[in-house]
Each structure stands twice: as structure tokens, then as C-alpha cells.
Amino acid sequence: MEKYYITTAIAYTSGKPHIGNTYEIVLADAIARFKRQKGYDVYFQTGTDEHGEKIELKAKEKGVTPKEFVDEVAQDIKRIWNIMNTSYDKFVRTTDPIHERQVQKIFKKMYDKGDIYLGKYEGLYCTPCESFFTESQLVDGKCPDCGREVKKASEEAYFFKLSKYQDRLVEYYNTHPDFIKPESRKNEMINNFIKPGLQDLCISRTSFTWGIPVDFDPKHVVYVWLDALTNYITNIGYDVDNPSPEFKKLWPADLHLVGKDIIRFHTIYWPCFLMSLDIPLPKQVFGHPWLLFGNDKMSKSKGNIMYADDLVNYFGVDAVRYYVLHEIPYANDGTITYDTLIDKINSDLANILGNLVNRTISMANKYFDGKVINTKLTESLDKDLLDSIDSLEGKIEDRMDRLEIGAAIDEIFEVLRKSNKYIDDTTPWVLSKDENSKDRLKTVIYNLLEAIRVCSISLEPFLPSTAEEIKRQLNTSDISPKYNQENIYNTITPMPLFVRIDKDAKLKGIENKG
Ligand code: MSP
């Protein structure tokens, strides 16, 4: 079996993750489930990024130790990942002792190799982003990443020779056209960072202590981004002296899934660190767009944060998964509001999907006691539906290979739409009135059941519980993603999959809770 190693960014433990951060784990989960379905030996890793000055400050504010602070937040993050029904194989934490020890060994190896040297850093520091900037990198005198105030800082620090790897990095970009996706992000990296020339990177800090100490100079702690990025290898058994068989099997990663704001760390720093360690580079980094609240960034100060656990309470897991997977395009930001979420649930999940399943199974039960086989009385009218069932698998594969998740879901809904139209065109209620049309009616219902079955299999990576529930109602064990001529259906009483939401009442209910 071919392996497939997929990672998410590891989330900061500075606070509870909002629905935007949660989007990424759901996206990774959909890809991981899809690859498993295709027979890959998938390894899916996620986790938390727990060191740094910001956490040290937050813990102090709360009157707890940094470790106590991150233990609580990491627990909460894991809880939310679990609520979202994500099938990760490992949840890693940068405070895990194995990781901490390996980071020290990695730092030492780079130092011994001459890629890290001691120098002095003078620059403008953004504490929330844990990043130094030069004057020219600032935007309106503020941090170019988050827009907050930066402060002057100077400290003795270790530096990593990024510049040494610049040519090899460009060479890698050129010879691996799929390394950075979407294409526009690659151009950003080349024009904004590589063309002006890579600066050596400050890679240790002395101004705070909540980090992994440099073992041969412990007043320094390792820069959080070196600490965080290496999670992708330390947790699968990388060791500078003796990498494990698991590491040899899994590395290089097939896909690092990260948000557009941190693509620079993953496509410039990370490859250079790996080159320094003499290990291969990941195959692909996908910088996904963001989920915004209306037109705004979600933030506590704006009071527009939505949390996944609340949304799941209001709407159910699969409705939330559907929304984020379908509504965030491949390259542009997506938006979420209660209003649009309810509209989508009603139009897509309740109307198109829920109604189809409910109507079809009810007809199977009403006309044939649920027992339906293919009487093969096919008419030309059927062709379009049957063709679309058979071509669905290929179309989805194509979309998924290009990481166009929303478009893959669209392909499934196209077949569902066609199925609804097929009911209108074949008018089963008319056929049922004529004894001579009973066999034709059976074929019609059979075709619809097959369409639903194949769609439910295709839906599994995106809406796992809904797919399972459809399978239960169809009462079939057939998991082939193609139209099957010879199934024997014995459907059970249908239960509504998604109930239509009364928007005004729901919005009032949400408001009252808030
Ligand atoms: N700790 C770093 C990642 C280190 S990876 C070696 C970090 N953490 S984060 O908690 O701020 O973000 C986690 C992920 O969520 C990042 O990939 C980030 O881009 C993503 N998102 C943060 N806000 C988001 C939205 N509003 N929408 C979609 N993704 C968002 O960065």
C-alpha cells in the first residue's frame, strides 16, 4: 500500500481555536479520509504549538505556570478536533519530551555543521507573531502579519544561514512545480522574499524562558518556528543519529496543509532547515485561504468569533463540516455568518440531499415494501443519470488531486440534483397507478437508490456520519463507487437527515444564548 503522510499546522495554545482554525483540521480530515478510501496507507498528524513569549505572558496573566496553561488549552483544542469527527492518527504537542530532545539535537547538528552561528540581533519584534522584522518590512510602521505594534529589541542570538540554501531552494521550486499550491502563493514567495535575497534567520531567544533550551548554551531558547516546524519529523521518529523505520517509511510528507499566513515558514524556512539536515523536502505545501466572518477577520476584540463547538450545538457536526468544506474556495477567502450557514443547510443539505433520500426511500417502502431489485426496464431518459453516477468517481478524484475540495462536493451535489430532476421527469407517482408500469417503476426507484448509494460513498470523506446514516437507511453493504446492476435493496424506515431550519427562530435562539 502506498503511504500518504498529511499534516496540519500545529495550533497555538494561546487560546481556544475559532472556526477558522478549525477549518484546517476538517479540511485535512476530508483529504485523509478520501485517501484512505482510495486505498492509501494514510498517516494524519495534527497537534499544538506550545512554546513562546506570548504563552509565557498569558500564563502569567492568569497566574498559572506556562505548562498548566498549555495543558488546559491543548486539551480544549483536542476536544474540538474530536467534536468535528476528525480522524487524525496522532495529536502531537511541542512540550512532549521526545520532541524537545530531538529539537535540541537538531539545533546542535546544524550548529556543528556550521549552519548556525552566534551573532547579535537588532530589530523590530512583534510579540504575538514571535517574529523580528526590519524597518522596510513593516506596513505603516506595524507588524506586516498581524498589524499590531512592534517593539525595538536587541539580543545576542544564534542565526541560521538561510542565505546558504537560497539557490538550492529556487532549484527545488523550479524542478517541483507542485511544491507550492496555489500557484499564486509561490509567486508571492519568489517576489517578496527570495528575489530580494534571503536574510539569515534569528533562531534563538534570550528575552524569555518558555521554550526549548539550547542544550550547549541554555540561556537561549530555540526560536518557536524551528521548534514548531520540526514537529513534522520529530514525532514520526526522526533522530539525527538514527532515524526510525517509521520515519523512513513516512518521510517526506506528502502534504503539509497550512493557512496562507504561514506559507512563508513552510516553503522557505522549513525546506532550508531540511536541507541543512540532509533530508528530503516535503512533496507539497498547500496554503489554504481563510475563513472570514462576513468581510472581517474573526477576532476577540471585534466580538465576532465563532467557535466550532457552539456551531455544532446549534447545527450538528456534518452541517458545519459541509459549510466550511464547501464554502471556502481553493484560493480565495471564504466567509461565514449564521445567516449564510442556515441558508446553505436549508438549500443543500435539507432540500437537495435530505429530501432526495427521504423521498426515494419512502417510495421504495410504499411501492415495494423496501424490496427493490433492478428490473432493467431502462429508458433513454435514464442515460444522463446513469452516466453521471458512473463518472462521479473520476471527477471527484480529479478535483481532490488538485485540492479543490468545494468543487469535489459540487460534483456530488450535481448528481443529487440530477436525481431530484429524474424524479420529476419519471413521475413515479403516475407510474405507480398503472399495474403495467410496476416494473418500470422498480427500475426508476432502483436507479435512484443507486444514485444515492454512490453519492453517499463519495460523501463519506466530507460528511462521515451522514454517509453512514444513508448507508444504514439503504441497508446495503455495497461500497463500490460505480452503478451496480445487481444490488438487492431492502430499505428501512427513513429518518430525516437534515431538518429545515426556521431561520428567524434559530437566529433568535442563538442571540438569547449569547
Ligand atoms: N502555530 C502556528 C503554526 C505552526 S506549524 C509548524 C500557527 N498557529 S495558529 O493557531 O495561529 O493557526 C493554525 C492554523 O490555522 C494556521 O494554518 C492558520 O493559517 C490557520 N488559520 C488561522 N485563522 C484562520 C482562519 N480565519 N481561516 C482559516 N484558517 C485560519 O500559525
Side-chain angles (χ1 to χ4, degrees):
M1 249 207 282
E2 200 179 329
K3 68 90 186 174
Y4 187 81
Y5 175 28
I6 176 171
T7 67
T8 65
I10 48 172
Y12 284 131
T13 44
S14 42
K16 180 175 168 176
H18 55 57
I19 185 66
N21 307 117
T22 312
Y23 162 61
E24 186 170 298
I25 183 81
V26 175
L27 182 64
D29 182 61
I31 299 169
R33 285 177 186 268
F34 177 78
K35 287 288 178 183
R36 279 193 208 107
Q37 214 179 42
K38 293 290 151 212
Y40 285 82
D41 179 9
V42 172
Y43 185 76
F44 170 15
Q45 185 172 287
T46 186
T48 41
D49 183 357
E50 306 191 352
H51 293 121
E53 188 174 11
K54 189 173 173 188
I55 306 253
E56 194 174 87
L57 294 174
K58 287 223 159 191
K60 206 166 175 192
E61 260 169 39
K62 217 180 157 197
V64 296
T65 65
K67 184 67 169 66
E68 283 165 345
F69 186 84
V70 296
D71 279 350
E72 198 179 315
V73 181
Q75 200 53 37
D76 209 28
I77 293 176
K78 200 170 182 180
R79 182 180 66 83
I80 292 177
W81 281 196
N82 292 342
I83 287 176
M84 295 313 295
N85 196 7
T86 55
S87 60
Y88 56 84
D89 295 291
K90 194 161 178 180
F91 189 98
V92 304
R93 300 180 54 186
T94 52
T95 49
D96 288 337
I98 291 185
H99 171 77
E100 295 193 335
R101 184 67 201 118
Q102 285 306 328
V103 169
Q104 291 181 320
K105 287 174 87 169
I106 286 169
F107 196 99
K108 179 78 168 44
K109 178 168 172 169
M110 291 170 165
Y111 180 77
D112 289 344
K113 192 173 172 180
D115 283 352
I116 289 179
Y117 61 91
L118 190 61
K120 197 168 171 101
Y121 199 91
E122 272 161 0
L124 297 152
Y125 189 64
C126 174
T127 307
C129 295
E130 315 268 7
S131 291
F132 271 105
F133 296 99
T134 58
E135 199 79 53
S136 65
Q137 287 172 318
L138 301 184
V139 176
D140 298 334
K142 305 243 165 77
C143 170
D145 285 345
C146 73
R148 279 177 270 215
E149 296 289 342
V150 292
K151 60 179 186 200
K152 271 217 167 98
S154 157
E155 55 186 54
E156 181 192 68
Y158 286 94
F159 285 82
F160 178 84
K161 288 184 182 163
L162 264 193
S163 46
K164 174 175 163 186
Y165 292 101
Q166 169 152 342
D167 293 347
R168 275 176 64 191
L169 183 64
V170 172
E171 170 72 11
Y172 191 78
Y173 281 14
N174 290 339
T175 49
H176 296 79
D178 288 333
F179 177 52
I180 307 179
K181 289 285 162 186
E183 199 68 20
S184 54
R185 307 256 180 258
K186 172 155 82 185
N187 300 335
E188 247 172 67
M189 291 305 117
I190 295 174
N191 294 331
N192 300 353
F193 298 100
I194 298 182
K195 277 206 182 131
L198 292 180
Q199 309 284 318
D200 286 354
L201 180 69
C202 177
I203 210 170
S204 77
R205 299 281 187 268
T206 51
S207 52
F208 62 95
T209 56
W210 180 239
I212 302 173
V214 173
D215 58 355
F216 56 88
D217 192 356
K219 64 179 181 297
H220 291 261
V221 293
V222 176
Y223 173 47
V224 278
W225 274 101
L226 176 64
D227 170 356
L229 287 162
T230 50
N231 94 84
Y232 301 130
I233 54 174
T234 59
N235 285 292
I236 55 165
Y238 176 72
D239 181 284
V240 293
D241 308 314
N242 184 22
S244 73
E246 194 194 15
F247 175 77
K248 287 181 191 150
K249 173 183 154 192
L250 291 174
W251 194 257
D254 294 271
L255 180 63
H256 288 317
L257 198 60
V258 303
K260 59 178 187 178
D261 56 320
I262 56 170
I263 192 124
R264 168 166 52 107
F265 299 92
H266 285 80
T267 59
I268 296 180
Y269 301 170
W270 182 223
C272 293
F273 295 158
L274 290 167
M275 286 190 261
S276 172
L277 294 171
D278 282 320
I279 56 178
L281 307 193
K283 292 187 194 156
Q284 192 166 61
V285 178
F286 177 42
H288 63 73
W290 269 33
L291 181 61
L292 307 176
F293 182 85
N295 290 322
D296 261 342
K297 245 177 138 165
M298 278 184 216
S299 77
K300 271 204 181 125
S301 55
K302 289 191 186 126
N304 63 4
I305 293 202
M306 285 174 149
Y307 294 106
D309 49 353
D310 291 338
L311 291 172
V312 167
N313 273 339
Y314 301 143
F315 304 107
V317 183
D318 277 2
V320 179
R321 285 179 65 111
Y322 177 79
Y323 189 90
V324 293
L325 290 172
H326 184 246
E327 294 302 306
I328 303 184
Y330 168 72
N332 302 323
D333 290 339
T335 69
I336 185 167
T337 61
Y338 288 115
D339 212 66
T340 51
L341 178 53
I342 294 172
D343 284 346
K344 275 282 144 190
I345 294 172
N346 283 345
S347 66
D348 297 3
L349 298 178
N351 275 4
I352 299 175
L353 173 62
N355 267 352
L356 173 70
V357 175
N358 206 276
R359 275 167 96 189
T360 303
I361 298 184
S362 300
M363 289 192 289
N365 292 347
K366 181 170 167 197
Y367 301 137
F368 304 110
D369 256 345
K371 295 180 183 49
V372 183
I373 53 158
N374 187 5
T375 45
K376 300 182 184 162
L377 277 182
T378 301
E379 293 184 4
S380 57
L381 174 68
D382 303 351
K383 190 172 170 355
D384 189 32
L385 180 66
L386 301 196
D387 285 351
S388 71
I389 298 174
D390 268 340
S391 57
L392 182 59
E393 187 192 18
K395 285 182 181 161
I396 295 181
E397 216 166 304
D398 212 49
R399 296 295 195 178
M400 292 301 281
D401 282 349
R402 282 184 275 145
L403 299 167
E404 295 169 4
I405 314 301
I409 297 177
D410 279 337
E411 300 289 357
I412 305 172
F413 273 74
E414 190 50 35
V415 179
L416 297 171
R417 262 190 209 97
K418 280 197 172 144
S419 307
N420 278 315
K421 180 165 183 300
Y422 183 74
I423 298 182
D424 297 341
D425 292 345
T426 53
T427 57
W429 53 94
V430 176
L431 295 175
S432 77
K433 297 215 172 86
D434 178 358
E435 236 355 87
N436 295 329
S437 302
K438 273 267 145 121
D439 279 349
R440 169 62 187 154
L441 177 61
K442 218 177 233 183
T443 297
V444 166
I445 304 293
Y446 183 88
N447 288 342
L448 286 166
L449 290 170
E450 273 297 288
I452 292 171
R453 186 185 66 74
V454 170
C455 285
S456 76
I457 288 160
S458 315
L459 277 175
E460 193 277 339
F462 315 107
L463 312 181
S465 338
T466 304
E468 190 58 37
E469 176 57 18
I470 298 175
K471 198 170 140 197
R472 192 184 72 82
Q473 296 186 15
L474 291 178
N475 197 8
T476 172
S477 53
D478 181 7
I479 52 161
S480 132
K482 296 279 180 213
Y483 183 84
N484 178 350
Q485 298 273 0
E486 310 296 340
N487 254 325
I488 300 172
Y489 280 102
N490 192 1
T491 54
I492 64 166
T493 311
M495 299 259 293
L497 297 173
F498 295 94
V499 184
R500 242 194 109 74
I501 297 171
D502 174 340
K503 196 196 275 185
D504 289 341
K506 190 78 176 182
L507 289 176
K508 273 205 189 91
I510 292 171
E511 220 169 89
N512 290 339
K513 271 180 208 144

